[in-house]
Each structure stands twice: as structure tokens, then as C-alpha cells.
Amino acid sequence: MTSTPIPHGSRGLALVLAGGGARAAYEVGVLSAIAERARGLEFPIVTGVSAGAINAVYLAAHAQTLSAALGALRDHWRHLTVDRVYRIQPWRLGRALLRGVAGTLLGTREEAAVVRGLVDMSPLHDFLAARLDCRGIDANIAAGRLRAVAVSATSYASGETVTFVHGRPDVPTWRRALRSAVPARLTVDHVMASAALPILFPAVRLGDAFYGDGSVRQTAPLAPAIHLGARALLVITQRSEPELAASPAFALRDYPTTAEVIGLLLHAIFLDALEADAERVERINRTLARVPPGAAPEGLRPVNLLMLRPSRDLGALVAGSGAKLPSGIRWMVRGMGGHRATAVDFLSYLLFDPAYTTALIDLGYADGLTQWPRIERFLSDS
């Protein structure tokens, strides 16, 4: 297999990794194919949110080449199981509801129903703490391989998306409507906060505030990389080409189950804003292409954008992977209607099973090789 030398000096190249629970393993497969073909490739700007933040910070902190980093990351994903990510605790919800009812009947305000997550995320925290050395970020910045890495989380205090930026002293921060950036030295807690889906996962305290999943209110997922100086964005999304091509008109024979509704909501949280932001960037690019040189509005610049998509529906891949949830979680999912074939999208976010994540990595790798001509042109232009 031939490979293409890639110059190190493209300081405006950024990697943007989306969230999506177990589905984020797909990103690792795509990047593995790219790193195998593009010798010497580096991403000076890396941003991620939710599960994409795990991949982003791992790559930004790894001391070796991109190819070596991805080899280690693939191995971690292939050994990731549900019990290493979360433990389900439905009793938390029941206890909170009972306390809320008791507080209402007894008139004790302090007994408000506070649900600190339906699942315990300490297994994932321990798994990451043993494998993710964030001190490597400073080493890569000092070596000139990295300009900045950023992860986003949602502040429960303000409701805005906060992007935590770990980078060189001259990297900018920003404040816009419902989103801002602050300088930070990233830790495992920042990654956990970015991936803490509300209600399901407990909020994570950072400083004086609690944070949840960064995808929840992130209206401009590409903005952090652009604010950090990116002029070319390599974006890996999990919305497949077949999903985009599918007709929106279909009939449901039965009333939607809870699992089907949650699957739709998760798609909206993790995928919809990214699609809208990509359309916005392309529209600005087309507008700027018609503006005479030197007459572009202040603060606007063209951004080269490459969106890489799965060739297959990642939800549909669940059925053929042979993966299984633990019995307790399988019982809960079945009670929510997760046994229906139309509920696979919900399952695909929770299915941390080597059979499924390996299938995702393999599909990503195959897609990366298939799309290599587009990727090579993009990297050369960037």
C-alpha cells in the first residue's frame, strides 16, 4: 500500500470530532486509514465534543506519531465494554421520585427530586485516568506539533456552551451568544463533563459550576476550530450517506416507543447542529467567492471543509455485529421498546461492546480508504 508524504507546516488544519457514544469508534477507523496513507500528518488544531472529546484529547496528548497514537486508541476501543463505561442504577431515579413525592406531601422543600444520573460513570473515569495522560498536551505544544486542543461542555449554571481551550499562550478565546471559550489545562474531568449526557449521566463539577454533554446546546460545532485559526476543517460525522439519501416520508405502524423517541433525540443532539453548521460554512464560502478581493466583511474568511460520512447506517450495523448488552441493561432497554428493529439508533449509542466497536472501526477504515482520493486532494489544498 502506497502512502503520501504530507508537509508538517499546515498550521491552519483542524480535526473536528463529533459525539455519539459508542459510535465514536467509527472516527478511529477513518483516521487510521488516513494516517496510514498520509505519512507525517499532524493536526495542529483538534476539537471534540462528548465521545469525540475522548478521541480528540487522546490524540492531542499522545507523544508518538498520529499513526502510533491511533494504533493504541484502536486497541482501547476494541477492549471497551459496558462495565468499563457505566453501571446502570435505576434505583437512583426511583429514590429521587420517592423523595420528591414525600417532600411534596410533607411540605419539606429540601426534599426536591434531584437525579444524579441514572448510570454511574465512575468506570469510564477510571478507564480514562489509566490511559489518558493529559500532560502530553503540553509536550506536543512545546514541540510545535500542536497549537490547541479544545473540548466543549454545557454549563448547567448559565445554559451556554463553554469550550475549554488548552493551547499556546497566544491562542484566542471568545464570547458569542450562548457560547464562550476559556483557557484551561485539560484533565479527564473535562472529558467526562463533555460526555455527560443530561439525566442519563451525572453532571461533572469543574471549578464552581456543573457541566453536562457539550452537544446539547452547541449550535455551532465547527466554530471552536475556526476561532482557533483553522482554515481547513476535516470533520468526521456519524450521519451516513444512506441516511441523507433516505426519503423523509414514511409511516409508523405503531406508536413510537421510548427507545425510538430517545434515539431521535440523540440524533438531534449529536448530528443535526453539525449538519446545519456545515451548510452555514459552505454558504459563507460561496458568498465570499463572489466578493472582490479585499472587500470581504471583517471577520469572515473562506474555510476549506471536508465532511467524511459512513457508507452504512451505523444504527443498522448493530444487528449484524453480534454485540450484546449485559442482562440488566438489556432488560431496561427492552422495557423502553429497544427490542424493535426501529430502535437500533438508541442502542447504537449505548452498545460499548468489542464486537460492535470493532465493526465500526473496520467500517471507518474501509470508508477512509475508499474516500482517500478526496482526502488526499483536501490535504494537499490545505
Side-chain angles (χ1 to χ4, degrees), residues 50-58 61 73 76-77 80 84-85 121-134 187-196 352:
S50 195
I54 298 175
N55 293 334
V57 174
Y58 188 92
L73 190 54
H76 295 326
W77 270 103
L80 198 59
R84 289 181 168 180
V85 179
M121 293 297 290
S122 59
L124 179 60
H125 184 280
D126 295 343
F127 183 86
L128 294 178
R131 293 161 179 81
L132 184 58
D133 186 358
C134 292
T187 66
V188 170
D189 285 342
H190 290 90
V191 176
M192 293 294 298
S194 183
F352 291 92

PDB file of all heavy atoms in Angstrom, residues 50-58 61 73 76-77 80 84-85 121-134 187-196 352:
ATOM      1  N   SER A  50     -18.295  15.492  23.538  1.00  0.00           N
ATOM      2  CA  SER A  50     -18.866  14.236  24.001  1.00  0.00           C
ATOM      3  C   SER A  50     -17.862  13.098  23.778  1.00  0.00           C
ATOM      4  O   SER A  50     -16.699  13.235  24.136  1.00  0.00           O
ATOM      5  CB  SER A  50     -20.199  13.985  23.292  1.00  0.00           C
ATOM      6  OG  SER A  50     -20.928  12.974  23.947  1.00  0.00           O
ATOM      7  N   ALA A  51     -18.278  11.977  23.202  1.00  0.00           N
ATOM      8  CA  ALA A  51     -17.333  10.883  22.988  1.00  0.00           C
ATOM      9  C   ALA A  51     -16.221  11.294  22.031  1.00  0.00           C
ATOM     10  O   ALA A  51     -15.111  10.758  22.093  1.00  0.00           O
ATOM     11  CB  ALA A  51     -18.067   9.653  22.447  1.00  0.00           C
ATOM     12  N   GLY A  52     -16.511  12.251  21.143  1.00  0.00           N
ATOM     13  CA  GLY A  52     -15.461  12.766  20.268  1.00  0.00           C
ATOM     14  C   GLY A  52     -14.369  13.477  21.040  1.00  0.00           C
ATOM     15  O   GLY A  52     -13.216  13.549  20.597  1.00  0.00           O
ATOM     16  N   ALA A  53     -14.708  14.000  22.232  1.00  0.00           N
ATOM     17  CA  ALA A  53     -13.708  14.648  23.078  1.00  0.00           C
ATOM     18  C   ALA A  53     -12.701  13.630  23.597  1.00  0.00           C
ATOM     19  O   ALA A  53     -11.522  13.952  23.795  1.00  0.00           O
ATOM     20  CB  ALA A  53     -14.382  15.366  24.240  1.00  0.00           C
ATOM     21  N   ILE A  54     -13.151  12.399  23.836  1.00  0.00           N
ATOM     22  CA  ILE A  54     -12.231  11.349  24.276  1.00  0.00           C
ATOM     23  C   ILE A  54     -11.171  11.117  23.205  1.00  0.00           C
ATOM     24  O   ILE A  54      -9.965  11.100  23.486  1.00  0.00           O
ATOM     25  CB  ILE A  54     -13.000  10.047  24.570  1.00  0.00           C
ATOM     26  CG1 ILE A  54     -13.997  10.263  25.701  1.00  0.00           C
ATOM     27  CG2 ILE A  54     -12.035   8.914  24.892  1.00  0.00           C
ATOM     28  CD1 ILE A  54     -14.894   9.063  25.978  1.00  0.00           C
ATOM     29  N   ASN A  55     -11.616  10.933  21.967  1.00  0.00           N
ATOM     30  CA  ASN A  55     -10.674  10.722  20.869  1.00  0.00           C
ATOM     31  C   ASN A  55      -9.774  11.931  20.659  1.00  0.00           C
ATOM     32  O   ASN A  55      -8.568  11.795  20.438  1.00  0.00           O
ATOM     33  CB  ASN A  55     -11.435  10.410  19.577  1.00  0.00           C
ATOM     34  CG  ASN A  55     -12.160   9.072  19.623  1.00  0.00           C
ATOM     35  OD1 ASN A  55     -11.762   8.166  20.358  1.00  0.00           O
ATOM     36  ND2 ASN A  55     -13.218   8.948  18.851  1.00  0.00           N
ATOM     37  N   ALA A  56     -10.357  13.129  20.726  1.00  0.00           N
ATOM     38  CA  ALA A  56      -9.598  14.350  20.465  1.00  0.00           C
ATOM     39  C   ALA A  56      -8.478  14.547  21.487  1.00  0.00           C
ATOM     40  O   ALA A  56      -7.317  14.804  21.123  1.00  0.00           O
ATOM     41  CB  ALA A  56     -10.537  15.564  20.473  1.00  0.00           C
ATOM     42  N   VAL A  57      -8.801  14.423  22.770  1.00  0.00           N
ATOM     43  CA  VAL A  57      -7.791  14.652  23.809  1.00  0.00           C
ATOM     44  C   VAL A  57      -6.745  13.543  23.798  1.00  0.00           C
ATOM     45  O   VAL A  57      -5.555  13.793  24.010  1.00  0.00           O
ATOM     46  CB  VAL A  57      -8.469  14.777  25.188  1.00  0.00           C
ATOM     47  CG1 VAL A  57      -7.434  14.866  26.307  1.00  0.00           C
ATOM     48  CG2 VAL A  57      -9.365  16.011  25.213  1.00  0.00           C
ATOM     49  N   TYR A  58      -7.162  12.322  23.531  1.00  0.00           N
ATOM     50  CA  TYR A  58      -6.192  11.226  23.467  1.00  0.00           C
ATOM     51  C   TYR A  58      -5.156  11.485  22.376  1.00  0.00           C
ATOM     52  O   TYR A  58      -3.950  11.341  22.597  1.00  0.00           O
ATOM     53  CB  TYR A  58      -6.907   9.902  23.207  1.00  0.00           C
ATOM     54  CG  TYR A  58      -5.984   8.696  23.326  1.00  0.00           C
ATOM     55  CD1 TYR A  58      -5.858   8.025  24.541  1.00  0.00           C
ATOM     56  CD2 TYR A  58      -5.233   8.254  22.244  1.00  0.00           C
ATOM     57  CE1 TYR A  58      -5.003   6.938  24.668  1.00  0.00           C
ATOM     58  CE2 TYR A  58      -4.379   7.176  22.362  1.00  0.00           C
ATOM     59  CZ  TYR A  58      -4.266   6.518  23.578  1.00  0.00           C
ATOM     60  OH  TYR A  58      -3.414   5.450  23.694  1.00  0.00           O
ATOM     61  N   ALA A  61      -2.800  14.382  23.228  1.00  0.00           N
ATOM     62  CA  ALA A  61      -1.881  14.134  24.335  1.00  0.00           C
ATOM     63  C   ALA A  61      -0.853  13.064  24.039  1.00  0.00           C
ATOM     64  O   ALA A  61       0.119  12.911  24.787  1.00  0.00           O
ATOM     65  CB  ALA A  61      -2.676  13.746  25.589  1.00  0.00           C
ATOM     66  N   LEU A  73      -5.183   3.809  20.326  1.00  0.00           N
ATOM     67  CA  LEU A  73      -6.587   4.160  20.536  1.00  0.00           C
ATOM     68  C   LEU A  73      -7.509   3.067  20.006  1.00  0.00           C
ATOM     69  O   LEU A  73      -8.540   2.752  20.626  1.00  0.00           O
ATOM     70  CB  LEU A  73      -6.883   5.499  19.862  1.00  0.00           C
ATOM     71  CG  LEU A  73      -8.229   6.155  20.171  1.00  0.00           C
ATOM     72  CD1 LEU A  73      -8.441   6.321  21.673  1.00  0.00           C
ATOM     73  CD2 LEU A  73      -8.337   7.506  19.466  1.00  0.00           C
ATOM     74  N   HIS A  76      -7.670   0.364  22.594  1.00  0.00           N
ATOM     75  CA  HIS A  76      -8.523   0.714  23.732  1.00  0.00           C
ATOM     76  C   HIS A  76      -9.995   0.554  23.388  1.00  0.00           C
ATOM     77  O   HIS A  76     -10.783   0.020  24.193  1.00  0.00           O
ATOM     78  CB  HIS A  76      -8.243   2.153  24.172  1.00  0.00           C
ATOM     79  CG  HIS A  76      -6.861   2.373  24.708  1.00  0.00           C
ATOM     80  ND1 HIS A  76      -6.184   1.415  25.430  1.00  0.00           N
ATOM     81  CD2 HIS A  76      -6.022   3.443  24.617  1.00  0.00           C
ATOM     82  CE1 HIS A  76      -4.990   1.876  25.775  1.00  0.00           C
ATOM     83  NE2 HIS A  76      -4.871   3.099  25.297  1.00  0.00           N
ATOM     84  N   TRP A  77     -10.398   1.042  22.220  1.00  0.00           N
ATOM     85  CA  TRP A  77     -11.806   0.935  21.826  1.00  0.00           C
ATOM     86  C   TRP A  77     -12.229  -0.530  21.688  1.00  0.00           C
ATOM     87  O   TRP A  77     -13.358  -0.898  22.034  1.00  0.00           O
ATOM     88  CB  TRP A  77     -12.045   1.664  20.507  1.00  0.00           C
ATOM     89  CG  TRP A  77     -12.421   3.103  20.670  1.00  0.00           C
ATOM     90  CD1 TRP A  77     -11.625   4.193  20.490  1.00  0.00           C
ATOM     91  CD2 TRP A  77     -13.703   3.620  21.042  1.00  0.00           C
ATOM     92  NE1 TRP A  77     -12.324   5.357  20.735  1.00  0.00           N
ATOM     93  CE2 TRP A  77     -13.602   5.037  21.068  1.00  0.00           C
ATOM     94  CE3 TRP A  77     -14.929   3.034  21.356  1.00  0.00           C
ATOM     95  CZ2 TRP A  77     -14.684   5.848  21.394  1.00  0.00           C
ATOM     96  CZ3 TRP A  77     -16.008   3.853  21.675  1.00  0.00           C
ATOM     97  CH2 TRP A  77     -15.867   5.240  21.695  1.00  0.00           C
ATOM     98  N   LEU A  80     -13.080  -1.960  25.046  1.00  0.00           N
ATOM     99  CA  LEU A  80     -14.022  -1.203  25.866  1.00  0.00           C
ATOM    100  C   LEU A  80     -15.344  -1.960  25.950  1.00  0.00           C
ATOM    101  O   LEU A  80     -15.943  -2.314  24.936  1.00  0.00           O
ATOM    102  CB  LEU A  80     -14.243   0.178  25.251  1.00  0.00           C
ATOM    103  CG  LEU A  80     -14.853   1.260  26.152  1.00  0.00           C
ATOM    104  CD1 LEU A  80     -13.974   1.500  27.372  1.00  0.00           C
ATOM    105  CD2 LEU A  80     -15.016   2.550  25.368  1.00  0.00           C
ATOM    106  N   ARG A  84     -16.963  -1.157  31.676  1.00  0.00           N
ATOM    107  CA  ARG A  84     -15.848  -0.215  31.768  1.00  0.00           C
ATOM    108  C   ARG A  84     -16.284   1.207  31.435  1.00  0.00           C
ATOM    109  O   ARG A  84     -15.469   2.123  31.471  1.00  0.00           O
ATOM    110  CB  ARG A  84     -14.711  -0.627  30.831  1.00  0.00           C
ATOM    111  CG  ARG A  84     -13.960  -1.871  31.293  1.00  0.00           C
ATOM    112  CD  ARG A  84     -12.830  -2.210  30.354  1.00  0.00           C
ATOM    113  NE  ARG A  84     -11.936  -3.209  30.934  1.00  0.00           N
ATOM    114  CZ  ARG A  84     -10.867  -3.687  30.311  1.00  0.00           C
ATOM    115  NH1 ARG A  84     -10.560  -3.249  29.094  1.00  0.00           N
ATOM    116  NH2 ARG A  84     -10.108  -4.590  30.898  1.00  0.00           N
ATOM    117  N   VAL A  85     -17.551   1.387  31.106  1.00  0.00           N
ATOM    118  CA  VAL A  85     -18.077   2.712  30.767  1.00  0.00           C
ATOM    119  C   VAL A  85     -19.085   3.175  31.811  1.00  0.00           C
ATOM    120  O   VAL A  85     -18.976   4.278  32.356  1.00  0.00           O
ATOM    121  CB  VAL A  85     -18.730   2.717  29.366  1.00  0.00           C
ATOM    122  CG1 VAL A  85     -19.290   4.101  29.034  1.00  0.00           C
ATOM    123  CG2 VAL A  85     -17.712   2.285  28.310  1.00  0.00           C
ATOM    124  N   MET A 121     -20.926   6.686  36.166  1.00  0.00           N
ATOM    125  CA  MET A 121     -19.890   6.828  35.144  1.00  0.00           C
ATOM    126  C   MET A 121     -18.467   6.653  35.689  1.00  0.00           C
ATOM    127  O   MET A 121     -17.501   6.866  34.969  1.00  0.00           O
ATOM    128  CB  MET A 121     -20.010   8.200  34.485  1.00  0.00           C
ATOM    129  CG  MET A 121     -21.267   8.381  33.662  1.00  0.00           C
ATOM    130  SD  MET A 121     -21.351   7.240  32.270  1.00  0.00           S
ATOM    131  CE  MET A 121     -20.051   7.898  31.226  1.00  0.00           C
ATOM    132  N   SER A 122     -18.350   6.263  36.954  1.00  0.00           N
ATOM    133  CA  SER A 122     -17.002   6.109  37.514  1.00  0.00           C
ATOM    134  C   SER A 122     -16.163   5.061  36.781  1.00  0.00           C
ATOM    135  O   SER A 122     -14.936   5.229  36.694  1.00  0.00           O
ATOM    136  CB  SER A 122     -17.085   5.787  39.007  1.00  0.00           C
ATOM    137  OG  SER A 122     -17.814   4.604  39.250  1.00  0.00           O
ATOM    138  N   PRO A 123     -16.745   3.987  36.208  1.00  0.00           N
ATOM    139  CA  PRO A 123     -15.893   3.068  35.448  1.00  0.00           C
ATOM    140  C   PRO A 123     -15.192   3.748  34.268  1.00  0.00           C
ATOM    141  O   PRO A 123     -14.007   3.483  34.014  1.00  0.00           O
ATOM    142  CB  PRO A 123     -16.877   1.986  34.969  1.00  0.00           C
ATOM    143  CG  PRO A 123     -17.965   2.004  35.981  1.00  0.00           C
ATOM    144  CD  PRO A 123     -18.126   3.448  36.358  1.00  0.00           C
ATOM    145  N   LEU A 124     -15.897   4.627  33.548  1.00  0.00           N
ATOM    146  CA  LEU A 124     -15.253   5.317  32.425  1.00  0.00           C
ATOM    147  C   LEU A 124     -14.173   6.262  32.926  1.00  0.00           C
ATOM    148  O   LEU A 124     -13.103   6.367  32.326  1.00  0.00           O
ATOM    149  CB  LEU A 124     -16.294   6.090  31.608  1.00  0.00           C
ATOM    150  CG  LEU A 124     -15.730   6.877  30.412  1.00  0.00           C
ATOM    151  CD1 LEU A 124     -15.040   5.932  29.426  1.00  0.00           C
ATOM    152  CD2 LEU A 124     -16.826   7.670  29.713  1.00  0.00           C
ATOM    153  N   HIS A 125     -14.438   6.951  34.034  1.00  0.00           N
ATOM    154  CA  HIS A 125     -13.431   7.849  34.596  1.00  0.00           C
ATOM    155  C   HIS A 125     -12.157   7.070  34.932  1.00  0.00           C
ATOM    156  O   HIS A 125     -11.038   7.493  34.596  1.00  0.00           O
ATOM    157  CB  HIS A 125     -13.977   8.539  35.840  1.00  0.00           C
ATOM    158  CG  HIS A 125     -13.035   9.549  36.428  1.00  0.00           C
ATOM    159  ND1 HIS A 125     -11.967   9.188  37.220  1.00  0.00           N
ATOM    160  CD2 HIS A 125     -12.994  10.907  36.325  1.00  0.00           C
ATOM    161  CE1 HIS A 125     -11.294  10.273  37.582  1.00  0.00           C
ATOM    162  NE2 HIS A 125     -11.904  11.326  37.046  1.00  0.00           N
ATOM    163  N   ASP A 126     -12.305   5.914  35.554  1.00  0.00           N
ATOM    164  CA  ASP A 126     -11.141   5.105  35.912  1.00  0.00           C
ATOM    165  C   ASP A 126     -10.435   4.575  34.670  1.00  0.00           C
ATOM    166  O   ASP A 126      -9.194   4.532  34.616  1.00  0.00           O
ATOM    167  CB  ASP A 126     -11.574   3.940  36.806  1.00  0.00           C
ATOM    168  CG  ASP A 126     -12.119   4.408  38.155  1.00  0.00           C
ATOM    169  OD1 ASP A 126     -11.866   5.571  38.530  1.00  0.00           O
ATOM    170  OD2 ASP A 126     -12.829   3.619  38.812  1.00  0.00           O
ATOM    171  N   PHE A 127     -11.213   4.169  33.670  1.00  0.00           N
ATOM    172  CA  PHE A 127     -10.639   3.655  32.421  1.00  0.00           C
ATOM    173  C   PHE A 127      -9.799   4.734  31.737  1.00  0.00           C
ATOM    174  O   PHE A 127      -8.674   4.481  31.291  1.00  0.00           O
ATOM    175  CB  PHE A 127     -11.775   3.196  31.498  1.00  0.00           C
ATOM    176  CG  PHE A 127     -11.308   2.571  30.210  1.00  0.00           C
ATOM    177  CD1 PHE A 127     -11.007   1.214  30.150  1.00  0.00           C
ATOM    178  CD2 PHE A 127     -11.183   3.329  29.051  1.00  0.00           C
ATOM    179  CE1 PHE A 127     -10.580   0.633  28.961  1.00  0.00           C
ATOM    180  CE2 PHE A 127     -10.764   2.762  27.866  1.00  0.00           C
ATOM    181  CZ  PHE A 127     -10.459   1.410  27.815  1.00  0.00           C
ATOM    182  N   LEU A 128     -10.337   5.960  31.657  1.00  0.00           N
ATOM    183  CA  LEU A 128      -9.609   7.048  31.007  1.00  0.00           C
ATOM    184  C   LEU A 128      -8.403   7.491  31.835  1.00  0.00           C
ATOM    185  O   LEU A 128      -7.334   7.778  31.280  1.00  0.00           O
ATOM    186  CB  LEU A 128     -10.543   8.227  30.762  1.00  0.00           C
ATOM    187  CG  LEU A 128     -11.686   8.009  29.767  1.00  0.00           C
ATOM    188  CD1 LEU A 128     -12.561   9.256  29.678  1.00  0.00           C
ATOM    189  CD2 LEU A 128     -11.138   7.642  28.392  1.00  0.00           C
ATOM    190  N   ALA A 129      -8.579   7.559  33.147  1.00  0.00           N
ATOM    191  CA  ALA A 129      -7.480   8.014  34.002  1.00  0.00           C
ATOM    192  C   ALA A 129      -6.265   7.102  33.874  1.00  0.00           C
ATOM    193  O   ALA A 129      -5.115   7.568  34.002  1.00  0.00           O
ATOM    194  CB  ALA A 129      -7.950   8.076  35.451  1.00  0.00           C
ATOM    195  N   ALA A 130      -6.497   5.824  33.617  1.00  0.00           N
ATOM    196  CA  ALA A 130      -5.390   4.876  33.488  1.00  0.00           C
ATOM    197  C   ALA A 130      -4.718   4.930  32.119  1.00  0.00           C
ATOM    198  O   ALA A 130      -3.612   4.399  31.955  1.00  0.00           O
ATOM    199  CB  ALA A 130      -5.897   3.461  33.751  1.00  0.00           C
ATOM    200  N   ARG A 131      -5.363   5.580  31.141  1.00  0.00           N
ATOM    201  CA  ARG A 131      -4.848   5.540  29.770  1.00  0.00           C
ATOM    202  C   ARG A 131      -4.621   6.911  29.143  1.00  0.00           C
ATOM    203  O   ARG A 131      -4.004   7.006  28.080  1.00  0.00           O
ATOM    204  CB  ARG A 131      -5.826   4.746  28.886  1.00  0.00           C
ATOM    205  CG  ARG A 131      -5.897   3.283  29.257  1.00  0.00           C
ATOM    206  CD  ARG A 131      -7.146   2.615  28.720  1.00  0.00           C
ATOM    207  NE  ARG A 131      -7.178   1.195  29.066  1.00  0.00           N
ATOM    208  CZ  ARG A 131      -7.574   0.726  30.236  1.00  0.00           C
ATOM    209  NH1 ARG A 131      -7.994   1.561  31.175  1.00  0.00           N
ATOM    210  NH2 ARG A 131      -7.557  -0.576  30.472  1.00  0.00           N
ATOM    211  N   LEU A 132      -5.118   7.941  29.771  1.00  0.00           N
ATOM    212  CA  LEU A 132      -5.059   9.279  29.179  1.00  0.00           C
ATOM    213  C   LEU A 132      -4.187  10.187  30.046  1.00  0.00           C
ATOM    214  O   LEU A 132      -4.581  10.573  31.150  1.00  0.00           O
ATOM    215  CB  LEU A 132      -6.467   9.858  29.067  1.00  0.00           C
ATOM    216  CG  LEU A 132      -6.633  11.209  28.382  1.00  0.00           C
ATOM    217  CD1 LEU A 132      -6.092  11.158  26.969  1.00  0.00           C
ATOM    218  CD2 LEU A 132      -8.092  11.619  28.376  1.00  0.00           C
ATOM    219  N   ASP A 133      -3.001  10.513  29.558  1.00  0.00           N
ATOM    220  CA  ASP A 133      -2.079  11.386  30.273  1.00  0.00           C
ATOM    221  C   ASP A 133      -2.112  12.765  29.625  1.00  0.00           C
ATOM    222  O   ASP A 133      -1.452  13.004  28.610  1.00  0.00           O
ATOM    223  CB  ASP A 133      -0.668  10.808  30.237  1.00  0.00           C
ATOM    224  CG  ASP A 133       0.314  11.609  31.101  1.00  0.00           C
ATOM    225  OD1 ASP A 133      -0.109  12.633  31.683  1.00  0.00           O
ATOM    226  OD2 ASP A 133       1.485  11.215  31.172  1.00  0.00           O
ATOM    227  N   CYS A 134      -2.904  13.659  30.191  1.00  0.00           N
ATOM    228  CA  CYS A 134      -3.099  14.980  29.597  1.00  0.00           C
ATOM    229  C   CYS A 134      -1.842  15.839  29.640  1.00  0.00           C
ATOM    230  O   CYS A 134      -1.788  16.886  28.975  1.00  0.00           O
ATOM    231  CB  CYS A 134      -4.254  15.711  30.290  1.00  0.00           C
ATOM    232  SG  CYS A 134      -5.873  14.960  29.975  1.00  0.00           S
ATOM    233  N   THR A 187      -8.136  18.052  31.674  1.00  0.00           N
ATOM    234  CA  THR A 187      -7.994  16.864  32.516  1.00  0.00           C
ATOM    235  C   THR A 187      -9.052  15.844  32.104  1.00  0.00           C
ATOM    236  O   THR A 187      -9.928  16.126  31.270  1.00  0.00           O
ATOM    237  CB  THR A 187      -8.182  17.215  34.000  1.00  0.00           C
ATOM    238  OG1 THR A 187      -9.553  17.637  34.196  1.00  0.00           O
ATOM    239  CG2 THR A 187      -7.233  18.334  34.434  1.00  0.00           C
ATOM    240  N   VAL A 188      -8.987  14.691  32.727  1.00  0.00           N
ATOM    241  CA  VAL A 188     -10.010  13.677  32.479  1.00  0.00           C
ATOM    242  C   VAL A 188     -11.392  14.210  32.859  1.00  0.00           C
ATOM    243  O   VAL A 188     -12.393  13.885  32.212  1.00  0.00           O
ATOM    244  CB  VAL A 188      -9.687  12.390  33.268  1.00  0.00           C
ATOM    245  CG1 VAL A 188     -10.849  11.408  33.220  1.00  0.00           C
ATOM    246  CG2 VAL A 188      -8.435  11.730  32.701  1.00  0.00           C
ATOM    247  N   ASP A 189     -11.468  15.066  33.875  1.00  0.00           N
ATOM    248  CA  ASP A 189     -12.758  15.621  34.279  1.00  0.00           C
ATOM    249  C   ASP A 189     -13.385  16.465  33.177  1.00  0.00           C
ATOM    250  O   ASP A 189     -14.616  16.474  33.018  1.00  0.00           O
ATOM    251  CB  ASP A 189     -12.605  16.463  35.550  1.00  0.00           C
ATOM    252  CG  ASP A 189     -12.430  15.597  36.795  1.00  0.00           C
ATOM    253  OD1 ASP A 189     -12.773  14.397  36.729  1.00  0.00           O
ATOM    254  OD2 ASP A 189     -11.962  16.116  37.816  1.00  0.00           O
ATOM    255  N   HIS A 190     -12.579  17.205  32.418  1.00  0.00           N
ATOM    256  CA  HIS A 190     -13.123  17.976  31.287  1.00  0.00           C
ATOM    257  C   HIS A 190     -13.719  17.036  30.236  1.00  0.00           C
ATOM    258  O   HIS A 190     -14.781  17.324  29.666  1.00  0.00           O
ATOM    259  CB  HIS A 190     -12.026  18.829  30.648  1.00  0.00           C
ATOM    260  CG  HIS A 190     -11.573  19.983  31.498  1.00  0.00           C
ATOM    261  ND1 HIS A 190     -10.546  19.875  32.405  1.00  0.00           N
ATOM    262  CD2 HIS A 190     -12.016  21.270  31.587  1.00  0.00           C
ATOM    263  CE1 HIS A 190     -10.366  21.046  33.009  1.00  0.00           C
ATOM    264  NE2 HIS A 190     -11.245  21.898  32.533  1.00  0.00           N
ATOM    265  N   VAL A 191     -13.038  15.941  29.979  1.00  0.00           N
ATOM    266  CA  VAL A 191     -13.542  14.966  29.013  1.00  0.00           C
ATOM    267  C   VAL A 191     -14.838  14.343  29.523  1.00  0.00           C
ATOM    268  O   VAL A 191     -15.813  14.188  28.775  1.00  0.00           O
ATOM    269  CB  VAL A 191     -12.481  13.878  28.748  1.00  0.00           C
ATOM    270  CG1 VAL A 191     -13.028  12.810  27.812  1.00  0.00           C
ATOM    271  CG2 VAL A 191     -11.216  14.498  28.155  1.00  0.00           C
ATOM    272  N   MET A 192     -14.871  13.992  30.802  1.00  0.00           N
ATOM    273  CA  MET A 192     -16.079  13.408  31.387  1.00  0.00           C
ATOM    274  C   MET A 192     -17.240  14.388  31.333  1.00  0.00           C
ATOM    275  O   MET A 192     -18.381  13.994  31.049  1.00  0.00           O
ATOM    276  CB  MET A 192     -15.802  12.999  32.830  1.00  0.00           C
ATOM    277  CG  MET A 192     -14.821  11.852  32.992  1.00  0.00           C
ATOM    278  SD  MET A 192     -15.423  10.284  32.340  1.00  0.00           S
ATOM    279  CE  MET A 192     -16.867  10.011  33.365  1.00  0.00           C
ATOM    280  N   ALA A 193     -16.975  15.656  31.601  1.00  0.00           N
ATOM    281  CA  ALA A 193     -18.037  16.662  31.541  1.00  0.00           C
ATOM    282  C   ALA A 193     -18.591  16.779  30.136  1.00  0.00           C
ATOM    283  O   ALA A 193     -19.814  16.866  29.932  1.00  0.00           O
ATOM    284  CB  ALA A 193     -17.506  18.015  32.013  1.00  0.00           C
ATOM    285  N   SER A 194     -17.721  16.778  29.140  1.00  0.00           N
ATOM    286  CA  SER A 194     -18.152  16.911  27.752  1.00  0.00           C
ATOM    287  C   SER A 194     -19.044  15.760  27.318  1.00  0.00           C
ATOM    288  O   SER A 194     -19.887  15.920  26.437  1.00  0.00           O
ATOM    289  CB  SER A 194     -16.925  16.997  26.834  1.00  0.00           C
ATOM    290  OG  SER A 194     -17.308  17.195  25.493  1.00  0.00           O
ATOM    291  N   ALA A 195     -18.875  14.584  27.964  1.00  0.00           N
ATOM    292  CA  ALA A 195     -19.619  13.388  27.568  1.00  0.00           C
ATOM    293  C   ALA A 195     -20.777  13.057  28.508  1.00  0.00           C
ATOM    294  O   ALA A 195     -21.401  12.003  28.358  1.00  0.00           O
ATOM    295  CB  ALA A 195     -18.665  12.193  27.499  1.00  0.00           C
ATOM    296  N   ALA A 196     -21.073  13.938  29.465  1.00  0.00           N
ATOM    297  CA  ALA A 196     -22.097  13.633  30.480  1.00  0.00           C
ATOM    298  C   ALA A 196     -23.484  13.998  29.980  1.00  0.00           C
ATOM    299  O   ALA A 196     -24.005  15.089  30.254  1.00  0.00           O
ATOM    300  CB  ALA A 196     -21.772  14.371  31.777  1.00  0.00           C
ATOM    301  N   PHE A 352     -21.437  -0.361  24.005  1.00  0.00           N
ATOM    302  CA  PHE A 352     -19.985  -0.445  24.151  1.00  0.00           C
ATOM    303  C   PHE A 352     -19.616  -1.921  24.275  1.00  0.00           C
ATOM    304  O   PHE A 352     -19.486  -2.472  25.362  1.00  0.00           O
ATOM    305  CB  PHE A 352     -19.535   0.338  25.383  1.00  0.00           C
ATOM    306  CG  PHE A 352     -19.696   1.820  25.242  1.00  0.00           C
ATOM    307  CD1 PHE A 352     -20.861   2.439  25.660  1.00  0.00           C
ATOM    308  CD2 PHE A 352     -18.694   2.600  24.680  1.00  0.00           C
ATOM    309  CE1 PHE A 352     -21.027   3.817  25.536  1.00  0.00           C
ATOM    310  CE2 PHE A 352     -18.853   3.978  24.541  1.00  0.00           C
ATOM    311  CZ  PHE A 352     -20.017   4.574  24.979  1.00  0.00           C
TER     312      PHE A 352
END
